[in-house]
Amino acid sequence: MSLRDEFPILQRQVNGHPLVYLDNAATTQKPQIVIDAMNDYYSQSNANVHRAVHTLAGEATEGYESCRIKLKQRFNAQRAIITSGTTEAINLVAHAWGRANLSKGDSIVLTEMEHHSDIVPWQMLAEERGVEIRYVPVTQHFTLDMEAFTHALDGAALVCVVHTSNVLGVRNPLESIIEQSHAAGAKVLIDAAQGVPHAQIDFTAFGADFMAFSAHKMCGPTGIGALLVQPDVFEQMEPFMGGGDMIETVTIEGSTYQTNEHKFEAGTPRIAEAIGWTAALDWMETFDISAEHDRLIKIASWVAKSLRDLGMNVYGRHEDGDAAVVSFLHPTINSEDMAHLLDARGFAVRTGHHCAQPLLHRLGISGTVRASFYIYNTREEAEAFVSEIKEIVERFA
Amino acid sequence: MSLRDEFPILQRQVNGHPLVYLDNAATTQKPQIVIDAMNDYYSQSNANVHRAVHTLAGEATEGYESCRIKLKQRFNAQRAIITSGTTEAINLVAHAWGRANLSKGDSIVLTEMEHHSDIVPWQMLAEERGVEIRYVPVTQHFTLDMEAFTHALDGAALVCVVHTSNVLGVRNPLESIIEQSHAAGAKVLIDAAQGVPHAQIDFTAFGADFMAFSAHKMCGPTGIGALLVQPDVFEQMEPFMGGGDMIETVTIEGSTYQTNEHKFEAGTPRIAEAIGWTAALDWMETFDISAEHDRLIKIASWVAKSLRDLGMNVYGRHEDGDAAVVSFLHPTINSEDMAHLLDARGFAVRTGHHCAQPLLHRLGISGTVRASFYIYNTREEAEAFVSEIKEIVERFA
Amino acid sequence: MTYPVALAELIEEFQAVDDKRERLEMLFELADEVVELPSEEWNDDTRVRGCQSEAHVRIQVAEGRIEFLSAADARLVQGLMGILTLAIDGMAPAQALLIPPQFAEEMGLLNTLTPSRSNGFRNMFDKVMNEIRQSTEG
Amino acid sequence: MTYPVALAELIEEFQAVDDKRERLEMLFELADEVVELPSEEWNDDTRVRGCQSEAHVRIQVAEGRIEFLSAADARLVQGLMGILTLAIDGMAPAQALLIPPQFAEEMGLLNTLTPSRSNGFRNMFDKVMNEIRQSTEG
Ligand SMILES: Cc1ncc(COP(=O)(O)O)c(C=O)c1O
Ligand SMILES: Cc1ncc(COP(=O)(O)O)c(C=O)c1O
């Protein structure tokens, strides 16, 4: 059985054509084994977790907690908080760590390359607490201005940076960013939503203080993600949301909290989702992610070159280490029209601002067409995609 | 096909005995049609929602938004914010409405009957903003002290009250609470986690300002719930979490927000979960919930009486309108031992504080054994349960 | 409720076509029917909210007849505007107000289009009808 | 690593039983092996964390032999304490430290019990072993 056969949706036709799914930076597809894991949970073991004695509750708790164990193993992390996704994970840092540790006079370094999910929580914190935000600009080579970064670091308390841009596919020089930030006394949060699907990261060796990502971008279900935290920083975090099992005791005078990850997981957790994600993480170990990554970036780089040859503006550099994301615009064909014409032939791409308006503003555009590739995409699909674009350009430009 | 046959898990054996699932106040089981809906989504239509042009994204968006439409229809509500559950919904009110509208000198009325999820968020707000919290006591008849409530209401800005206690099954006199609160100028939040599974509530006629509940307690999936809000109060809410599609524009100077529910749904939403919940809500219309409710409370009341006859202390009154929840303690058999002995024969019950420590404190106990019934439970199961307890008491007391 | 003749014909034409690409091409051609709103008038008053890209509309009523001016970035949106132009331009306001909003669904366009696009179309339709209503009241 | 004889026998006995109810009854009986920790000593120092109900343990070493005192609300927990009593009470500290923690799993008790209960047991085991270690160092 080929890898593609494991994904039921890839057998689907769209508008009378085989689906060519190139919207992977938005969300990835799920292999049957992940769908089955959630199915089995709901059909066999569904129960609420923690503090219960009966057999189903035991199975459900074990299933839920095995996701945490798996995350800690795969990423070599000591603390893994389960959230509803990257966005909640970053908001959690802003509330649980930010509000407890930052105040007027402190500053946070962001970059113009950030996704809204790594901008808006900080703008809210800044407004509430009078914290200053500094934005590192993006150069015309689609990379961070590292001189400006060094400059911005002066006296900063926290650096928040995207591992890999969801618009450009560019992977940032994280090793150097983390090293410089720590040397300057700043904590580092990595938005790894686009990084983790393409690389197996050793969180402890990597050295960042926080790392956020989502299951749905790595073959897992919707509604779940994680925040990895280094143990010393974990101790500096105050509770965020209250309720359910995050407490040790509750009295009408006040409450005391758990000391492990449960402290940040208020309410009935995402049980089925955790079980699905565990299956996805297990499944991802059945192939060589770094070889796949190499294959995909080669495809992306070929697509980028082909589109340039067809007269497109392409945003990104598509070097080794970057993600297989190709953002482009035709000089005259409107991007929404382009996406509809592609959809008519079964190609799924995304248009719009990709939740990265400051980056697009810097690039002087308001949106792109974005094709993003993942492990089940083939060279043949990429070729079909380029020919379809060629035909569209010939006919509609 | 009987209703029970629609639930695959009910065919299961536990420790060599047919499963008798009596932990429904913690979470309910899922009919096949709900499991299938999520399956179909992942196998046929999985994509990220909003702002996209391609066919799958269209189907996913329609699926996600149809959950909101369904919620608005079923509960006759104008605003339905999709959250990860009751707990997040209440925290959302504490942050988005509480922090924007309450400050030192204001007070919030809670009751001793609240679940931790409706206590801890308010304690956190109180500590941060110097807001006062007043607790309405529970009487020895397991009801709210309504005289104390009237007294506590004086000058209060917000009243938060549980629709139906998850420990006692007691339904509170909400009509009178809402009326009195509004007359006193206070907003009202109803924690309907245990109410909504047992009754079809008309939110607009009901008149509360906020109502929170979880899908997983009404045959829907984990990881999703909702907050219903009246339109005037909705306009008083500031954003809670930032990122993703909750914005209208983001610039490095600041952001503007959406004006509809998306404003409070940061990040990739719970797409599969919303589709599963929609299926559950549709499915719940295939039977008469109020007739089921009547049947169940009769069963619960019979169980309560039988357990009292066996020498148990039973906490609750089991009147019409109450939920079919029976909390009890044996004078000498430890509740954890009891639950293990029951589990050995296939009966799933819950022990512990049920996330309602202040209520248990008032009752002078630290936990109960709780059996809670739902639509698929039968009179025969209840009888088997009582005989099993009888045997346990005879053997181990 | 019946459709104006031009619209009824269009609905039939679209219904006859299965292929999305063909339907898009038909829609693109209808962009030519648009009476262009000058770019000086692309402002917040004329903007249609909920569209992915820029879309602007304005109604004026002269001698009891509707003039419908519109403009958009995407040819697809221009095509939708073209349909609306064929449907209401030159019509009496009272008559235009009778047009049911479901016609885009009947044309199979709300299947072709995605919900966000359909919402955009619905917003455009509502905005146009509102302005017509105001013009008859004012 | 081998188990002390008393423990090895218990493991075998439990392994022979399939029915959860029977295993629970065997476990309940082992509660009788507990050397009771007086209730005055139920305090934060002796508390085992992560148990659903109260559980307390204390180790003292006299003349090179471990004395294991314990107490709990639930008979089930008392049973687990009874097993540990049989395993280590009267043993030399150095020898006790060799007991691998997996024995509860091998007895099929971690299947009978739920994760929260198993964690409670693991916490109890770790606390006891820690105190033994300290007593040999002190
Ligand atoms: C009365 C009540 N409120 C709130 C909750 C919390 O719901 P969730 O854990 O789904 O957020 C529960 C569920 O345990 C409940 O019974
Ligand atoms: C770089 C980046 N950060 C954050 C996010 C937000 O992830 P989620 O929507 O799963 O919370 C995304 C996904 O769109 C992303 O690409």
Side-chain angles (χ1 to χ4, degrees), chain A residues 25-26 85-88 90 115 117 162 164-166 191 193-194 214 216-217, chain B residues 48 267-268:
Chain A
T86 308
T87 302
E88 191 187 291
I90 297 173
H115 187 277
S117 295
V162 68
T164 297
S165 161
N166 64 317
D191 170 357
Q194 301 291 341
S214 301
H216 70 92
K217 295 192 200 275
Chain B
N48 214 324
T268 299

Side-chain angles (χ1 to χ4, degrees), chain B residues 75-297:
Chain B
F75 298 104
N76 188 23
Q78 288 187 57
R79 292 292 185 185
I81 301 168
I82 295 175
T83 69
S84 67
T86 308
T87 302
E88 192 189 290
I90 297 174
N91 278 275
L92 172 61
V93 178
H95 280 265
W97 187 85
R99 278 165 181 74
N101 294 279
L102 302 179
S103 54
K104 204 171 163 64
D106 284 324
S107 48
I108 300 175
V109 176
L110 302 181
T111 87
E112 284 182 352
M113 214 187 267
E114 300 312 303
H115 187 278
H116 294 167
S117 294
D118 200 28
I119 298 176
V120 185
W122 305 115
Q123 289 183 339
M124 289 174 165
L125 176 68
E127 203 180 317
E128 186 187 315
R129 293 295 170 94
V131 171
E132 184 199 347
I133 299 183
R134 302 167 183 167
Y135 292 87
V136 178
V138 172
T139 70
Q140 61 192 36
H141 307 294
F142 310 114
T143 56
L144 293 181
D145 179 339
M146 288 300 287
E147 229 171 276
F149 168 73
T150 306
H151 193 72
L153 206 51
D154 184 38
L158 175 68
V159 172
C160 302
V161 59
V162 69
H163 181 289
T164 297
S165 162
N166 64 317
V167 177
L168 307 169
V170 167
R171 182 202 193 271
N172 284 313
L174 299 161
E175 291 73 6
S176 148
I177 289 173
I178 294 169
E179 200 191 307
Q180 284 191 57
S181 303
H182 282 169
K187 304 285 181 225
V188 184
L189 178 148
I190 305 292
D191 171 358
Q194 301 290 342
V196 158
H198 290 280
Q200 178 150 2
I201 298 172
D202 181 322
F203 179 62
T204 300
F206 202 50
D209 299 280
F210 303 99
M211 192 165 89
F213 48 96
S214 300
H216 70 93
K217 294 193 200 277
M218 54 191 305
C219 299
T222 60
I224 189 165
L227 178 72
L228 308 182
V229 189
Q230 300 295 357
D232 55 331
V233 192
F234 186 87
E235 298 304 323
Q236 302 172 355
M237 291 169 72
E238 295 294 324
F240 173 27
M241 291 199 249
D245 266 340
M246 49 76 75
I247 54 88
E248 185 78 26
T249 58
V250 176
T251 68
I252 65 174
E253 286 82 33
S255 300
T256 60
Y257 304 110
Q258 301 240 33
T259 53
N260 61 11
E261 287 93 339
H262 295 153
K263 177 174 174 181
F264 305 104
E265 296 172 7
T268 299
R270 299 124 179 116
I271 309 167
E273 292 87 340
I275 287 166
W277 197 8
T278 308
L281 290 164
D282 280 338
W283 182 80
M284 287 190 77
E285 287 170 8
T286 61
F287 56 87
D288 179 345
I289 193 162
S290 109
E292 279 302 308
H293 184 77
D294 292 348
R295 182 179 72 82
L296 292 171
I297 188 64

Side-chain angles (χ1 to χ4, degrees), chain D residues 8-61:
Chain D
E9 279 174 14
L10 263 184
I11 291 174
E12 242 175 74
E13 275 179 49
F14 270 88
Q15 280 174 345
V17 176
D18 252 3
D19 185 57
K20 174 170 171 172
R21 168 75 168 263
E22 267 182 67
R23 264 183 291 158
L24 282 174
E25 293 191 19
M26 286 165 66
L27 194 57
F28 287 4
E29 273 172 31
L30 289 164
D32 297 339
E33 305 295 331
V34 163
V35 185
E36 193 91 17
L37 181 77
S39 57
E40 310 87 76
E41 296 194 50
W42 295 30
N43 55 39
D44 271 355
D45 274 358
T46 58
R47 172 170 291 116
V48 181
R49 297 183 69 94
C51 279
Q52 271 217 336
S53 44
E54 292 279 309
H56 295 268
V57 294
R58 194 160 69 71
I59 288 294
Q60 54 200 37
V61 179

Side-chain angles (χ1 to χ4, degrees), chain A residues 15 334 336-337 340-341 343-345 351 388 391 395-396, chain C residues 20-21 24-25 28 52-53 73-76 112-113 117:
Chain A
N15 292 314
N334 173 275
E336 214 186 325
D337 291 337
H340 270 290
L341 289 164
D343 182 57
R345 293 288 162 85
T351 55
E388 182 62 30
E391 194 198 312
R395 192 163 172 130
F396 296 94
Chain C
K20 175 171 171 172
R21 169 76 169 262
L24 282 174
E25 293 192 18
F28 286 5
Q52 271 216 338
S53 44
D73 275 356
R75 196 141 181 88
L76 182 121
T112 301
L113 307 177
R117 174 84 285 123

